[in-house]
Amino acid sequence: MGQESDSPVEEQPPPLPPRPHASSVSSAVDPKAFQAQATTAITSLDIQTLSFPDGTRGTFSTHSRSTSTPIGSGYTSPNPPRPSSSGAEGDDAASIMSFAPTMRPAGDIASLLTSSLSKKSAAWNLLKAQAANAQPFEKHYRSADDRLANFEKEFDALPDETNEYFKDDERLAIWRSKLKQYMVLSSAGKPIWSRHGDLNLINSSIGVVQTIISFYEGSKNPLQGFTAGNTRFVVLTQGPLYFVAISKLGESDSQLRVQLEALYMQILSTLTLPSLTNIFANRPSTDLRKPLQGTEALLSSLADSFTKGSPSALLSSLECLKLRKSQRHTINNTFLKSRADKLLYGLIVAGGKLVSVIRPRRHSLHPSDLQLIFNMLFESEGIKAGGGENWIPLCLPAFNNKGYLYMYVSFFEGVSGEQATAPAAAVGQPVGEEIAMILISADREAFFSLKQMRDDVAQQLAKNGSLAIIRDAARAGRPSMAQIAPGSPICHFLFKSRANVQFCMSNLEPAFSHPVKRRRLMTVYHELHASTHAKNAHLKILQCVSDDSTSLAWLTPAFELYCIGGPNLSRAAMAQGANKIMQWIKREENRLFIIGGGVF
Amino acid sequence: MAEAPKPSSSVKLVLLGEAAVGKSSLVLRFVNNDFQENKEPTIGAAFLTQKCNLPTRTIKFEIWDTAGQERFASLAPMYYRNAQAALVVYDITKPTSLVKARHWVAELQRQASPGIVIALVGNKLDLAGESQSTSDEGEGEDGGDARKVSTEEAQAYAEEESLLFFETSAKTGHNVTEVFTAIANAIPETSLKSARGSGAAGTANRAGEEQRVNLSGPRDAGAKDGCAC
Ligand SMILES: Nc1nc2c(ncn2[C@@H]2O[C@H](COP(=O)(O)OP(=O)(O)O)[C@@H](O)[C@H]2O)c(=O)[nH]1
Ligand SMILES: [Mg+2]
């Protein structure tokens, strides 16, 4: 897959954390450090940071608990877990009180946490049980201080100019209420694209942005970003273009910059670098909207996937469809056998998850290029809604930003693998289950030979049962936490295999299927990611406790694991859950990830 | 559809015209009898097929729906090079789109196969106020007339250049099948005989032009070889 995948020898299975052993952390760290600051949402590094600066890389230390006891089994557990003394789970009086109104007032919680008292208070056990069963983000959010209060309207289009019921300033007010803005403008100040609002409406805002950026441009220290109230502005300059992200969602600068970089890649993918450079070299005041015509929808769907929260963008990696190794092997071989001479890359993708890749030995595919392709196919309607087959000139900037490649795309229909003639939606193919074959060539005349290849491969896949297997796997969706780590209080995880540049995660349904819940989840992951990837961060393990969730990040050279549970989970519970997830991943590694792929 | 063996031939057809005039919508109406209100722009080009039954023969259209964007202009010859028919589409509410259509017609007359059948199509007729479309199932919801290109002007131009001419609405379906049927009828018999639809997009496939027409059976049976006939 990714750059590193050429050398599967170097991939080693991620080491499992050692079993928890007694009293390693609590002695080394001041328990007060883990006390939550009341009910503040986790927003920065210094809250609930559980780092292990003692150099035990990847070592997971927890309290004295036998790992065999299922944590979070609630009432029925004959031997309920002893609360940890770090206070990490007992910090939040408010939410605890809301679970157990008969509890003592907040002042007593602290004493409750001391080990002598924590022994076996019935109330505590009840409390603990409930806390462990709680899902994240269940608390009641007051709309005044919940930044996601308007998230459901985030993607609604602004009323357009012809709508007489809205005056311009009302339109601007709606525009300003968006949580996330993206703008692209030329260094000469010409607007190129904006996610929300037509360019007439926001022209003056774009002018202001351009003025601010170019004011700093002259100095040796170009503007990177600034904060206004709860809003963060981040600027990326790429040649003649300025990219601006304006976010109230709390991403880090480098995360926002990665998003802007992706928008730039989309523009390069449309134009190629030499042609972009030429356009502005010849006429710095060029209006780039014309040359980019038709790309707006792709930029918007890309932007929206970031706003919704994209694990793929966050981790700069791809997700694969989980398949048995032998099944994937059969698919790869079928694919390779019918390979057309002109083929550069071949991909089979189901609902945005990679099923199979074939590629020449000396070339690999870059996640950022694949992200553009997946966005085009699965996030925007341009191709899916057209029916038929497509022949698309595009530049894959990470592969070669100087020239175009030609991409054949066809969606599958029915079990025979015939080519879809009607829009996927009309055929009743649920989103997430559409299967597409993508064949890329450097030859613009290769359409019919690739079409032939597609027909051959599709016929073979249908005949040897692979197509049905792919369809079933796509329909089955991601595995649930109950399957992965039964009994664990962890509700969701996100895992990146660094060697394979691929990620996997547990099912979002049902707890995170609502867009707001999903965004809260992704915000927690972004915060964990930002804290562990900050410039001077040496964190290998980080536990965050907030009033609506407990979350954990665990980084080693081989992988990144992020997971989340309800509020008030003990570190022991989190550690044990993380261990179970790691065991599962280790066991399923060959199914979760494409290791190597088909090479010719 | 398993009709008695009627002669069947492929016709390669290309759609050209400014972006957003409704090329893809016309194809969608013709192929799937469907319409989408806010269609996202075509990316690159789409290849679709659809059969058209004439009394004496079956025509299988192999349709290239191009994106019509400026930056793809240099790719256009690839799509019209061996085409036997072209639909040059403009939007009756947008005069500049007719100017663009004239450019396409001129380019086709200069560069495409000499016998190419060209139809000039003024789309979005449902937006015109005079409403000859009252007979159709859907009528323009607002009474206003958004027409900016008169029928007479376009018709006169079409006659001058010997083009077929239609005003259509992909939205209501008005005149859509008629355009394709008229094209099918206008393709000279001789051209059909030698016509080899398939691989005609590439010069590399010229050699295949002598091959016999494929009398493929019903669609489902021949689905996978359908377009490669
Ligand atoms: N009112 C009306 N709108 C149409 C008609 N045909 C297409 N459209 C709309 O015009 C827009 C552009 O259509 P599309 O088919 O993508 O144009 P293309 O770029 O030429 O392929 C879409 O929003 C269509 O819904 C029509 O006959 N009447
Ligand atoms: Mg189109």
Side-chain angles (χ1 to χ4, degrees):
Chain A
M1 258 326 316
Q3 303 90 299
E4 294 108 309
S5 65
D6 272 302
S7 46
V9 206
E10 281 160 34
E11 291 152 21
Q12 20 175 286
L16 279 174
R19 304 202 126 209
H21 51 91
S23 74
S24 57
V25 193
S26 24
S27 56
V29 194
D30 175 7
K32 282 210 187 77
F34 306 120
Q35 210 78 38
Q37 267 93 28
T39 59
T40 36
I42 31 167
T43 46
S44 66
L45 242 176
D46 49 0
I47 301 176
Q48 298 306 323
T49 301
L50 225 189
S51 61
F52 297 84
D54 57 3
T56 51
R57 166 188 288 189
T59 300
F60 209 100
S61 309
T62 53
H63 304 277
S64 49
R65 277 288 326 145
S66 143
T67 39
S68 56
T69 309
I71 302 216
S73 47
Y75 304 94
T76 54
S77 169
N79 183 18
R82 196 190 95 194
S84 92
S85 57
S86 75
E89 80 275 36
D91 46 65
D92 186 352
S95 60
I96 286 177
M97 293 308 290
S98 69
F99 285 124
T102 56
M103 282 295 294
R104 290 173 243 186
D108 281 300
I109 296 292
S111 60
L112 200 73
L113 291 173
T114 63
S115 44
S116 61
L117 273 177
S118 68
K119 273 276 154 70
K120 279 324 135 33
S121 141
W124 174 260
N125 287 342
L126 177 66
L127 175 69
K128 188 79 175 86
Q130 288 186 339
N133 285 340
Q135 298 276 324
F137 319 129
E138 299 275 79
K139 75 162 188 158
H140 180 71
Y141 293 90
R142 288 218 326 279
S143 60
D145 44 46
D146 179 15
R147 57 188 170 187
L148 293 184
N150 277 323
F151 188 73
E152 281 174 83
K153 295 192 193 132
E154 176 70 15
F155 305 105
D156 294 355
L158 260 61
D160 67 31
E161 277 172 49
T162 54
N163 188 332
E164 291 147 26
Y165 298 104
F166 291 87
K167 296 197 205 64
D168 264 5
D169 49 345
E170 287 168 315
R171 264 198 289 275
L172 271 175
I174 301 177
W175 182 69
R176 274 192 220 100
S177 74
K178 299 292 181 187
L179 297 165
K180 197 80 173 277
Q181 302 277 359
Y182 295 91
M183 293 173 187
V184 183
L185 53 152
S186 72
S187 45
K190 281 261 165 67
I192 293 169
W193 171 81
S194 156
R195 172 57 188 96
H196 298 290
D198 57 291
L199 293 172
N200 291 335
L201 182 72
I202 61 170
N203 212 358
S204 58
S205 307
I206 289 197
V208 173
V209 169
Q210 192 259 344
T211 310
I212 298 175
I213 299 173
S214 50
F215 177 80
Y216 284 90
E217 197 78 331
S219 71
K220 290 210 180 65
N221 194 6
L223 182 64
Q224 306 274 327
F226 57 93
T227 302
N230 61 352
T231 306
R232 183 71 190 162
F233 289 66
V234 166
V235 179
L236 173 76
T237 306
Q238 283 290 0
L241 304 181
Y242 293 145
F243 296 79
V244 185
I246 306 171
S247 177
K248 296 175 192 151
L249 290 174
E251 299 106 315
S252 74
D253 279 18
S254 58
Q255 288 165 352
L256 289 169
R257 205 156 273 127
V258 165
Q259 299 173 7
L260 294 176
E261 199 76 47
L263 298 178
Y264 175 56
M265 289 296 161
Q266 177 57 64
I267 289 179
L268 285 185
S269 174
T270 305
L271 294 176
T272 74
L273 182 60
S275 112
L276 176 67
T277 314
N278 274 341
I279 288 173
F280 284 100
N282 294 340
R283 235 162 49 91
S285 64
T286 301
D287 183 352
L288 202 63
R289 275 178 291 178
K290 187 99 194 187
L292 283 180
Q293 196 183 41
T295 308
E296 304 88 345
L298 297 177
L299 291 169
S300 293
S301 57
L302 211 47
D304 288 356
S305 70
F306 302 148
T307 305
K308 286 174 194 149
S310 154
S312 167
L314 177 67
L315 302 176
S316 302
S317 57
L318 289 160
E319 189 178 14
C320 298
L321 188 71
K322 186 165 173 274
L323 286 177
R324 285 179 174 280
K325 194 180 175 186
S326 60
Q327 292 169 341
R328 199 177 324 264
H329 197 68
T330 305
I331 295 167
N332 287 348
N333 284 343
T334 310
F335 209 4
L336 280 170
K337 219 176 284 164
S338 305
R339 178 171 68 88
D341 287 343
K342 304 282 189 178
L343 185 79
L344 179 60
Y345 294 122
L347 306 162
I348 298 173
V349 186
K353 299 189 192 76
L354 208 48
V355 176
S356 168
V357 198
I358 58 174
R359 62 181 174 88
R361 185 163 296 283
R362 64 215 140 77
H363 293 302
S364 57
L365 268 163
H366 300 258
S368 66
D369 286 342
L370 285 174
Q371 185 184 29
L372 296 179
I373 295 176
F374 286 17
N375 175 59
M376 187 185 270
L377 266 58
F378 296 98
E379 302 298 328
S380 75
E381 294 298 316
I383 293 178
K384 230 175 4 188
E389 295 154 279
N390 295 270
W391 188 233
I392 298 158
L394 89 170
C395 165
L396 295 179
F399 170 75
N400 171 14
N401 62 20
K402 295 192 181 64
Y404 285 109
L405 296 173
Y406 299 85
M407 177 167 80
Y408 169 93
V409 180
S410 139
F411 282 88
F412 286 28
E413 192 178 291
V415 280
S416 64
E418 70 201 76
Q419 160 233 318
T421 48
V427 185
Q429 201 77 257
V431 185
E433 293 178 24
E434 313 105 329
I435 304 173
M437 196 183 300
I438 300 159
L439 305 173
I440 298 174
S441 170
D443 180 0
R444 59 150 82 173
E445 306 279 355
F447 177 83
F448 286 98
S449 77
L450 296 185
K451 177 179 166 54
Q452 185 62 52
M453 170 176 172
R454 179 242 172 261
D455 291 343
D456 295 345
V457 175
Q459 196 182 17
Q460 286 306 314
L461 289 179
K463 212 164 95 185
N464 68 22
S466 296
L467 194 59
I469 289 170
I470 297 173
R471 210 174 284 286
D472 288 347
R475 195 167 298 146
R478 301 180 179 105
S480 70
M481 278 313 299
Q483 292 166 278
I484 295 164
S488 155
I490 289 179
C491 304
H492 193 266
F493 81 89
L494 185 56
F495 175 93
K496 173 179 177 175
S497 161
R498 287 180 160 168
N500 296 313
V501 206
Q502 292 164 40
F503 77 90
C504 66
M505 64 187 205
S506 57
N507 204 343
L508 289 162
E509 281 80 32
F512 307 102
S513 32
H514 190 278
V516 175
K517 286 258 171 73
R518 200 199 128 125
R519 179 63 235 187
R520 289 194 205 285
L521 175 72
M522 290 310 301
T523 298
V524 169
Y525 287 149
H526 276 74
E527 284 163 347
L528 289 173
H529 179 274
S531 303
T532 47
H533 287 77
K535 246 198 200 106
N536 297 313
H538 306 293
L539 297 170
K540 300 300 168 211
I541 294 175
L542 168 73
Q543 175 152 341
C544 285
V545 177
S546 76
D547 64 343
D548 59 6
S549 67
T550 312
S551 56
L552 176 93
W554 178 12
L555 278 72
T556 77
F559 67 83
E560 300 173 23
L561 174 69
Y562 307 89
C563 56
I564 191 167
N568 307 317
L569 287 179
S570 70
R571 283 192 291 142
M574 291 301 284
Q576 199 179 40
N579 270 324
K580 279 194 177 172
I581 293 168
M582 287 307 303
Q583 281 159 13
W584 180 83
I585 288 172
K586 172 121 178 70
R587 207 165 53 233
E588 302 286 328
E589 197 178 18
N590 286 322
R591 301 172 181 183
L592 289 167
F593 304 117
I594 294 182
I595 300 171
V599 174
F600 56 86
Chain B
M1 264 197 137
E3 70 278 348
K6 236 194 276 181
S8 150
S9 17
S10 299
V11 167
K12 195 167 170 284
L13 179 146
V14 62
L15 279 101
L16 298 165
E18 196 172 88
V21 296
K23 298 181 293 299
S24 303
S25 300
L26 286 167
V27 177
L28 190 63
R29 176 60 77 188
F30 177 57
V31 174
N32 286 327
N33 195 19
D34 191 14
F35 178 76
Q36 291 165 2
E37 198 62 59
N38 284 307
K39 227 181 156 307
E40 282 189 16
T42 310
I43 307 168
F47 183 80
L48 300 98
T49 59
Q50 174 67 314
K51 288 201 178 117
C52 181
N53 277 307
L54 300 181
T56 56
R57 63 194 316 126
T58 302
I59 301 285
K60 186 174 150 208
F61 281 109
E62 297 180 348
I63 303 168
W64 275 114
D65 172 24
T66 63
Q69 285 131 9
E70 212 63 61
R71 66 177 178 282
F72 295 127
S74 68
L75 288 179
M78 188 165 92
Y79 301 114
Y80 64 61
R81 201 162 41 212
N82 296 309
Q84 293 139 279
L87 236 69
V88 179
V89 187
Y90 68 94
D91 174 350
I92 64 156
T93 70
K94 204 172 167 220
T96 56
S97 69
L98 180 60
V99 175
K100 184 73 205 172
R102 286 168 180 263
H103 283 291
W104 279 122
V105 171
E107 180 167 340
L108 287 172
Q109 288 171 339
R110 226 174 31 242
Q111 317 258 27
S113 331
I116 190 169
V117 174
I118 305 175
L120 180 70
V121 175
N123 189 39
K124 308 202 185 178
L125 184 61
D126 56 287
L127 299 177
E130 72 258 37
S131 225
Q132 62 213 84
S133 55
T134 38
S135 54
D136 294 311
E137 66 268 38
E139 50 253 13
E141 47 267 48
D142 51 80
D145 183 357
R147 180 194 278 277
K148 300 262 175 51
V149 178
S150 75
T151 311
E152 295 72 31
E153 180 194 352
Q155 181 130 43
Y157 166 68
E159 271 164 26
E160 201 174 301
E161 301 291 340
S162 325
L163 316 173
L164 299 171
F165 174 68
F166 289 88
E167 288 189 332
T168 61
S169 167
K171 187 170 175 173
T172 65
H174 180 80
N175 256 352
V176 175
T177 327
E178 285 79 353
V179 177
F180 287 89
T181 313
I183 287 178
N185 280 315
I187 305 274
E189 200 85 350
T190 52
S191 148
L192 282 180
K193 281 266 150 49
S194 66
R196 280 288 310 130
S198 122
T203 35
N205 292 304
R206 283 256 167 87
E209 284 180 31
E210 250 56 70
Q211 278 174 252
R212 286 302 328 224
V213 167
N214 179 8
L215 303 172
S216 65
R219 185 184 140 60
D220 43 354
K224 47 166 178 32
D225 63 36
C227 303
C229 60

